[in-house]
Amino acid sequence: MTMTSSFSTYLFKKEGNVWDVAIHVPKAEAEKLTDLIDKRVLCTINNQVTIHAALMPQGNGDFFINTNKEIRNKLRLAVNDKAKVTLAKDDSKYGMPLPEELKTAWELDPEGHQVFHTLTIGKQRSLIHVIGKPKSTEIRIRKALTVLEYLKSVNGKFDFKELNEAFKLSNQK
């Protein structure tokens, strides 16, 4: 199995989805890289931006990688534009960068660390994304601590609406 795959492809519009623009990945390129069970990859677009992503099935044997508006704007890409893509297997533990603030929060709160790791990897990734998104270190720390406190209070059985309420309360303190 090859460790990277580089190819030219295009962006396309998906129907009826929150993520409406994606990068087309031919099945042959995806198979060079992964066993198609663990579909996490590092995707470098036009040699400029690298993102942690998942190969998602397109339904016809091919795959796609979701792109957000921020990335498309940065690369000046739109639907039907061509792109050079390099994929590499993502061997990171969580499938995305782990914010230092979360690592610190885990050190301060071993019980929170333990409850966090009872969640599915997808939920862990979602929470890592929420914590790592703000530019401010102070906000990332507050979010990390709030997430751990919230997870402990619901014994890991959370929903995002309740978590958002916990964020609002922590912002008022």
Side-chain angles (χ1 to χ4, degrees), residues 10-22:
Y10 59 92
L11 277 69
F12 70 99
K13 183 165 180 55
K14 297 179 354 212
E15 295 304 319
N17 198 307
V18 173
W19 294 87
D20 63 340
V21 180

Side-chain angles (χ1 to χ4, degrees), residues 142-161:
R142 187 168 58 237
K143 282 196 178 273
L145 294 172
T146 301
V147 164
L148 297 184
E149 283 302 315
Y150 172 75
L151 288 176
K152 290 187 303 185
S153 76
V154 296
N155 201 26
K157 309 279 189 253
F158 78 98
D159 77 27
F160 282 100
K161 283 185 180 179

